[in-house]
Structures are given as structure tokens and as C-alpha cells.
């Protein structure tokens, strides 16, 4: 049977490369192409002759509509294509038959629910041509929502070394399977040598779940090959996240397939595989909680839980040794050591945590090694649900909208009494108080604040954060500012950095900062905040301008600060509309700590009451897993 008859019998829609392509995608006069390697911004020019950029490529479009294929082709910069569109009734056996008959040099794929850069095929072919010894190449990808917002990248390691880039397919699959991390992408991220693909002995199962058939085909392409990762400045493939649905059937089908595939292809499976959570047996956990903190801000974050736990008869310990072993460990750092606790709970470090990478802070701060995750309200619940399709955002027993522990004590008599004592000790001169509480003290920001407002009939309260010793330069800045201003003004008052920020918020009427989470905490007291947008922020070896991507604070430049404070002085309700936008930040006030302890006791087999489960969050998108 000749190839034309075979294609007709397969019901594959084939478009010969140059005859039907829109003229705008035909390459004209291109003589050079720039390739980007790694993160060192090193560009290398290659003079690509017509023969170098024109090997025929089979583009296999898997169950894509005509319009989808036409749109894809209209944007691609590579022209020498044999385009194959499968129909729903086609099987991977049909695709394999086609591969065995094509004259193309390379195979690549197009799938529904993806967006592709216009240079996808051109880049992949160009990179492949520079490493002719390999069998396949994997491109990086993003995960995006329906508005093309990047929720996550594939997180694969970067390299600019050819030696580091080359991998063995079997080893790649073994590491991926045993660590439950997709390091191979999907068919859309793959380009394969057709000559290599023709040598493979395929054994594709036909399960009821099509995703597993696609995965099997991909695994067969990988398992015997030598491959390379493709490193470009931007990901040229994006998978569009789909609405959440229960993936139990896919998980079970994946498990069955992997067991069979691994047996046939001599892939060693680890006994500690995590493709399904095996919940630990927790009945032997003692009623002891260690609360980990590295500064007083973290201490006050978790103190309310400790107070409630003590009332329930727990043995309580606070520890600054973040690696200490514990029965039950509660962490609120940017990174903790949950592996040292028999049962672990993770909370936010602060309410503006990693706002530079919203929505996905979990890409940098993984929660999957913790048992229980807690978010303070609807805003953070929304961020988490967007990112919960990624494995690293998911604690073993789920994430819960239990609330912000500090919010349980906003109306407490103890807080009001403490504020009253401090007010008397400071001997405040005026009725109205403005609180300065920056995230970082640098570049004379405290001096800017005092110079702008010292002439007003208001109390200027200075509350710097309590910094660990490793931030000695910031500690020195704080000391310098205090030496410059203390006792020089009759309306400037210093609050000890070790004092709870809640006491300062109880005392003040308005907060001034740049991007500190203090401005979010002020919302618990229904007090407005002003963020200075042009104050510099020291990040590592560089400096940037302050950023607070929220709408529940008032924003101005430092030269405008006095005007904004005077507006508030004359009308304390002038910023109420802004305050209302922060109402979604906190949930469950007054019951936060009790729900946290109920969950701990339920999952450590101390009680059976599970009413708290109604506050468990559900991902917005279906899981980004091993099969998609």
C-alpha cells in the first residue's frame, strides 16, 4: 500500500507543506537567526542557509478543529510542513503508521487547549539542527489561565551547557515517575527525529482515558532516546488550564499504566513513590506543639494559636531553631523544615507575602511537604485556588480558609489594656496618631516621614520591625534614624520593635508605609493606610521602587504625603471607600485558632469532629499532573 492510500485509510487530513499554507508564513530572505542560551544573555548568531531552515517537519495536530489548525498555521514562521490532523476515531496506531511512511525529518505536535509562540517550530528546528546527535528535544512551557495570565512555568532547571542539556530518556522518565514531577512536558513541548521515531517498537494501550494513551505514546518516544532541553528567553508553549474536576480516574489509570510500562522497559520504581498520597499514621503523635519563629513578627503571628492550644492542654514550646525536631510543628517562615515534625502546619509569613510574584508564591515557597496549609481570607484563598493545580501548592491534608490568627484578638480586653498602658507611658500629646511602620528602613525613609508631618498637630508613632541579627545593615539604619530624631521633636514617639504590631495599630488612626503587611493588618481595625510609592526598597544587591499591587490602600508619592495626611486630619472618613475594598482579606474572625486546633486534632486522631472540613479549599483548575 502506498503512502497516499494509507493516509486516506487512516482518515488523517494531510496538507502538503507549500501548497496550502497562507502566504504570510512563508519565509522570505531570512539569513540569520539568534539563539539564546541559559540566563547569561549570551547570544550566538548562526547563518542558516535555506537548506538548514527547510527540513520538512510533520506537524501532527491531535483532535484539533479546522479553525484551530488554521489559526496555528497562520501565525507560524516555519513553512516546510506536512500538516496532519487526526480525527476522533483515529488511534495512536494510525499515527504510528503515518510516522513510518512520512518523508519528514522531524515530528512535532499541536494539541487543543494550548497557545503557541509564532516561532515555536522554527525555534525547535533551529535548536535541533545544532545538536544532530540527539533524538528529541523538549521545549519549556507555561501554564496560563483563559486570559493568558501566567500561573506557573514548568520549573525545569536551566543550563547553558550542552553537556548538562543532554539526557537519557529512560533516566528522565524514572526520575519523573519516582518523584511525581513532570520533567518531560507533553507532546506539544516535543520535537522528535522521524528517523528515530520509526525505529521504536510501540505498544500503546487503549484505555478509556485518552490522556493516558497520549502519555504512553510520549513515553515510548522518550524511553529509548537521547534528548536535550531547549533554553529560550520565553516559553514558546503554554498549556491553558482547565476547570477543576475530580482526577481520581486519571490517577488510577496513570498508576496502572506506569506499573506496566516500567516492567516492560526496565524502569525501577521507588517504594517511596508519591503519585498517590499515602497519609502517614498519626496516632502516635504526642500532644506537644512547637511554634517556630525567627523574629518577633513571626512570634506574634503564631502566639494566638499557642494561647488557645495551652488552654486545650497542649505542651507548648517556642523555638528559634528552625531545624529542631517536633511532634507537631507550626511554621510561618518563607521556608521551613516540616520534615523534622511528625505533623506540620504552615501559615503565611505576612499578608503581603511575595507580592512580587502573585498569584503564584508557591512556585518559590512549596507547601507540599507540609500536612496542613492555612490562608487568612478570601483574597489569599483566591490566589491559592488559582495555583493549586500545581503539586507544590498542596499540603497533604489540604489548604483551609481558617483565617488570620491575630484577628481573634482584635477586640480582646488584653490588647486594649496593653494599648492603654503604652499610651500612658508614651504620654501622647495629640488626639490623632499616625503610625510609621515600614517593611525595610533604608535611604532615610523615616526622616522623610518625620520631616513631612512633624509640623502637624498629630502624634508620629515610629514602629520598626524586629530584625534578626543577619540583617545587621537594616538594624544599623534603624539605630541611625532613632539617634537622629528621638527627643528632637515633641510629637515623635518610638515603640519598641519587639512590641506587637497589634498594640501599635490599636493606638494609631492612620498607617504610613511602603509595602509592609502592616497596612493589611490595619484593615482588621478598620484603619486606613497610605503607601509611599517612590520609596526605594533594597532587594539583594539592587534597589527597586516600592510596590503594593492591591486596591485597599491609599497610594501617593513622598512629596504628597503631607497633603494626604491633612486630608485625613480634616475628614477621618475620607478613605472609607478604599477601606471597603479590603473586607475580603480576613475570614472567620473570632474562631480562627479553634478551627486550626480542631484540624490538628482530627488529623492526629485526637478527635473525630470534622466540621472544619467545610472550609477546605478546592482548586480552580484541574491538576497539572504527570499525564497532561
Amino acid at each position: 500500500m502506498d503512502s497516499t492510500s494509507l493516509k486516506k485509510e487512516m482518515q488523517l487530513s494531510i496538507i502538503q507543506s507549500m501548497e496550502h499554507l497562507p502566504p504570510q508564513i512563508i519565509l522570505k530572505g531570512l539569513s540569520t537567526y539568534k539563539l539564546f542560551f541559559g540566563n547569561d544573555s549570551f547570544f550566538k548568531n548562526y547563518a542558516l542557509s535555506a537548506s538548514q531552515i527547510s527540513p520538512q517537519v510533520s506537524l501532527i495536530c491531535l483532535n484539533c478543529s479546522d479553525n484551530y489548525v488554521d489559526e496555528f498555521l497562520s501565525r507560524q514562521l516555519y513553512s516546510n510542513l506536512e500538516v496532519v490532523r487526526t480525527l476522533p476515531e483515529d488511534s495512536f496506531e494510525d499515527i504510528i503508521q503515518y510516522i513510518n511512511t512520512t518523508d519528514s525529518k522531524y515530528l512535532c505536535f499541536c494539541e487543543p487547549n494550548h497557545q503557541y509562540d509564532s516561532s515555536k517550530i522554527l525555534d525547535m528546528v533551529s535548536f535541533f539542527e545544532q545538536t544532530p546527535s540527539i533524538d528529541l528535544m523538549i521545549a519549556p512551557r507555561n501554564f496560563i489561565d483563559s486570559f493568558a495570565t501566567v500561573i506557573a512555568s514548568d520549573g525545569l532547571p536551566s543550563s547553558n551547557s550542552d553537556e548538562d542539556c543532554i539526557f537519557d530518556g529512560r533516566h528522565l522518565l524514572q526520575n519523573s515517575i519516582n518523584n511525581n514531577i513532570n520533567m518531560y512536558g507533553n507532546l506539544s513541548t516535543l520535537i522528535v527525529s522521524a528517523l528515530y521515531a520509526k525505529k521504536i517498537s510501540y505498544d500503546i494501550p487503549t484505555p478509556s482515558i485518552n490522556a493516558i494513551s497520549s502519555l504512553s505514546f510520549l513515553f515510548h518516544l522518550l524511553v529509548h532516546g537521547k534528548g536535550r532541553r531547549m533554553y529560550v528567553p520565553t516559553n514558546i508553549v503554554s498549556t491553558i488550564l482547565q476547570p477543576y474536576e475530580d482526577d481520581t480516574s486519571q490517577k488510577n489509570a496513570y498508576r496502572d499504566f506506569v506499573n506496566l510500562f516500567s516492567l516492560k522497559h526496565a524502569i525501577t520504581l521507588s517504594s517511596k513513590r508519591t503519585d498517590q498520597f499515602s497519609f502517614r499514621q498519626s496516632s502516635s503523635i504526642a500532644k506537644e506543639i512547637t511554634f517556630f519563629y525567627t523574629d518577633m513578627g513571626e512570634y506574634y503571628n503564631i502566639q494566638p494559636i499557642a494561647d488557645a492550644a495551652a488552654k486545650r492542654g497542649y505542651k507548648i514550646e517556642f523555638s528559634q531553631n528552625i531545624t529542631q525536631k517536633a511532634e507537631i510543628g507550626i511554621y510561618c517562615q518563607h521556608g521551613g523544615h516540616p520534615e523534622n515534625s511528625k505533623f506540620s502546619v504552615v501559615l503565611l509569613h505576612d499578608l503581603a507575602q511575595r507580592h512580587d510574584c502573585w498569584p503564584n508564591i508557591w512556585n518559590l515557597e512549596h507547601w507540599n511537604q507540609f500536612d496542613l496549609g492555612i490562608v487568612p481570607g478570601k483574597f489569599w484563598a483566591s490566589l491559592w485556588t488559582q495555583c493549586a493545580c500545581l503539586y507544590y501548592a498542596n499540603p497533604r491534608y489540604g489548604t483551609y480558609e481558617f483565617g488570620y490568627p491575630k484577628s481573634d484578638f482584635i477586640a480582646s480586653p488584653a490588647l486594649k489594656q496593653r494599648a492603654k498602658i503604652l499610651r500612658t507611658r508614651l504620654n501622647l500629646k495629640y488626639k490623632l496618631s499616625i503610625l510609621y511602620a515600614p517593611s525595610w528602613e533604608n535611604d532615610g525613609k523615616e526622616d522623610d516621614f518625620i520631616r513631612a508631618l512633624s509640623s502637624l498637630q498629630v502624634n508620629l508613632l515610629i514602629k520598626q520591625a524586629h530584625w534578626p541579627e543577619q540583617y545587621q545593615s537594616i538594624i544599623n539604619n534603624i539605630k541611625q534614624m532613632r539617634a537622629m530624631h528621638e527627643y528632637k521633636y515633641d510629637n515623635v514617639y518610638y515603640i519598641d520593635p519587639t512590641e506587637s504590631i497589634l498594640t501599635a495599630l490599636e493606638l494609631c488612626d492612620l498607617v504610613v508605609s511602603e509595602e509592609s503587611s502592616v497596612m493589611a493588618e490595619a484593615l482588621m481595625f478598620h484603619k486606613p493606610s497610605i503607601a509611599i510609592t517612590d520609596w526605594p526598597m533594597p532587594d539583594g544587591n539592587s534597589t527597586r521602587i516600592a510596590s503594593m499591587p492591591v486596591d485597599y490602600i491609599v497610594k501617593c508619592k513622598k512629596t504628597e504625603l503631607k497633603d494626604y495626611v491633612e486630608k485625613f486630619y480634616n475628614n477621618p472618613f475620607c478613605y472609607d471607600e478604599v477601606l471597603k475594598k479590603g473586607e475580603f482579606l480576613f475570614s472567620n474572625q473570632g474562631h480562627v485558632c479553634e478551627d486550626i486546633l480542631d484540624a490538628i486534632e482530627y488529623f492526629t486522631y485526637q478527635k473525630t469532629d470534622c466540621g472544619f472540613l467545610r472550609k477546605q479549599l478546592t482548586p480552580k483548575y484541574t491538576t497539572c499532573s504527570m499525564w497532561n
Side-chain angles (χ1 to χ4, degrees), residues 569-601:
Y569 182 88
N570 294 320
N571 178 15
F573 305 104
C574 63
Y575 298 132
D576 278 7
E577 286 302 311
V578 178
L579 278 173
K580 289 180 181 178
K581 296 177 181 179
E583 293 176 351
F584 54 83
L585 204 58
F586 302 99
S587 297
N588 200 31
Q589 188 169 338
H591 306 282
V592 178
C593 296
E594 295 302 315
D595 278 347
I596 292 173
L597 291 171
D598 283 349
I600 291 172
E601 291 175 354

Side-chain angles (χ1 to χ4, degrees), residues 387-581:
C387 306
C389 54
L390 288 312
Y391 76 94
Y392 50 70
N394 290 272
R396 295 182 181 91
Y397 295 108
T399 297
Y400 298 79
E401 189 184 327
F402 284 156
Y404 196 52
K406 288 182 182 179
S407 69
D408 277 358
F409 294 93
I410 298 307
S412 71
L415 176 60
K416 296 186 181 303
Q417 180 62 25
R418 177 60 187 163
K420 182 179 179 180
I421 292 171
L422 188 56
R423 183 187 301 274
T424 302
R425 183 181 302 167
L426 295 174
N427 192 24
L428 300 180
K429 182 176 181 180
Y430 298 109
K431 180 179 179 182
L432 196 70
S433 295
I434 314 298
L435 173 65
Y436 169 69
S439 53
W440 301 81
E441 182 53 54
N442 60 287
D443 293 86
K445 291 189 292 194
E446 182 183 305
D447 190 53
D448 291 340
F449 170 78
I450 291 174
R451 286 179 180 273
L453 304 179
S454 60
S455 63
L456 301 180
Q457 293 185 349
V458 296
N459 305 310
L460 302 182
L461 309 180
I462 312 296
K463 172 64 173 73
Q464 296 283 1
H466 177 262
W467 289 89
E469 292 180 359
Q470 59 263 37
Y471 292 94
Q472 193 59 49
S473 63
I474 301 301
I475 295 172
N476 291 341
N477 291 342
I478 293 172
K479 290 179 179 179
Q480 181 185 9
M481 287 293 102
R482 185 161 184 167
M484 181 185 298
H485 302 119
E486 193 170 23
Y487 309 123
K488 309 294 193 305
Y489 301 85
D490 64 358
N491 63 338
V492 174
Y493 305 88
Y494 283 87
I495 299 174
D496 193 300
T498 61
E499 181 67 54
S500 170
I501 190 60
L502 296 186
T503 309
L505 289 171
E506 177 70 22
L507 279 177
C508 78
D509 300 283
L510 175 70
V511 176
V512 174
S513 187
E514 1 78 328
E515 54 182 43
S516 172
S517 67
V518 171
M519 296 184 291
E521 293 182 325
L523 296 170
M524 295 186 294
F525 297 82
H526 199 71
K527 294 178 180 179
S529 298
I530 297 175
I532 307 302
T533 58
D534 56 349
W535 268 341
M537 305 295 294
D539 278 357
N541 296 323
S542 62
T543 300
R544 59 175 176 80
I545 297 301
S547 171
M548 195 66 172
V550 295
D551 58 2
Y552 52 72
I553 56 177
V554 180
K555 302 175 185 179
C556 74
K557 295 183 178 180
K558 61 184 179 182
T559 56
E560 303 169 321
L561 177 58
K562 184 175 181 180
D563 294 336
Y564 276 71
V565 172
E566 284 183 324
K567 180 180 178 181
F568 178 78
Y569 182 88
N570 294 320
N571 178 15
F573 305 104
C574 63
Y575 298 132
D576 278 7
E577 286 302 311
V578 178
L579 278 173
K580 289 180 181 178
K581 296 177 181 179

Side-chain angles (χ1 to χ4, degrees), residues 79-299:
S79 61
N80 194 4
L81 300 171
E82 181 169 86
V83 181
V84 179
R85 184 172 69 87
T86 71
L87 300 175
E89 57 266 33
D90 293 320
S91 68
F92 278 96
E93 182 179 344
D94 297 324
I95 296 173
I96 294 163
Q97 286 182 300
Y98 162 75
I99 291 172
N100 289 329
T101 63
T102 184
D103 295 326
S104 294
K105 184 175 182 180
Y106 298 116
L107 312 171
C108 66
F109 303 88
C110 177
E111 300 174 278
N113 301 317
H114 284 74
Q115 284 188 6
Y116 302 98
D117 189 87
S118 59
S119 66
K120 174 188 186 286
I121 300 175
L122 178 61
D123 284 353
M124 296 180 89
V125 171
S126 299
F127 269 72
F128 211 132
E129 291 284 286
Q130 306 310 315
T131 319
S133 62
I134 62 173
D135 303 308
L136 52 95
M137 182 173 288
I138 297 173
R141 66 168 167 168
N142 289 325
F143 298 95
I144 62 175
D145 64 15
S146 57
F147 301 102
T149 301
V150 176
I151 302 300
S153 297
D154 57 17
L156 299 178
S158 296
S159 172
N160 62 2
S161 164
D162 285 351
E163 182 179 352
D164 292 339
C165 293
I166 304 297
F167 61 79
D168 176 83
R170 177 180 279 102
H171 291 161
L172 178 75
L173 289 177
Q174 182 164 300
N175 289 336
S176 296
I177 293 168
N178 286 330
N179 292 288
N180 198 38
I181 300 175
N182 183 337
M183 295 186 281
Y184 43 78
N186 60 9
L187 288 174
S188 284
T189 67
L190 198 67
I191 183 169
V192 186
S193 160
L195 183 62
Y196 160 72
K198 291 177 181 180
K199 298 177 181 178
I200 297 172
S201 177
Y202 297 91
D203 181 17
I204 308 296
T206 55
S208 58
I209 299 173
N210 189 57
I212 304 302
S213 294
S214 296
L215 183 70
S216 176
F217 180 57
L218 173 60
F219 275 23
H220 278 82
L221 292 175
L222 286 167
V223 70
H224 298 297
K226 294 290 184 183
R228 181 184 173 192
R229 298 198 188 283
M230 176 179 173
Y231 298 103
V232 288
T234 56
N235 291 354
I236 59 175
V237 177
S238 294
T239 298
I240 302 172
L241 297 170
Q242 301 301 300
Y244 174 78
E245 60 181 26
D246 185 355
D247 65 355
T248 301
S249 58
Q250 289 96 327
K251 186 178 294 184
N252 292 336
Y254 166 76
R255 179 200 59 207
D256 294 342
F257 159 70
V258 162
N259 289 336
L260 184 61
F261 183 87
S262 300
L263 183 64
K264 289 184 177 180
H265 295 277
I267 290 177
T268 303
L269 298 184
S270 168
S271 60
K272 297 182 179 179
R273 277 171 56 206
T274 56
D275 52 284
Q276 288 185 313
F277 289 140
S278 52
F279 288 155
R280 65 183 67 185
Q281 186 62 246
S282 304
S283 57
S284 62
I285 294 177
K287 201 169 182 179
E288 302 173 4
I289 304 180
T290 303
F291 294 85
F292 293 98
Y293 72 104
T294 62
D295 57 46
M296 292 308 295
E298 292 178 357
Y299 176 90

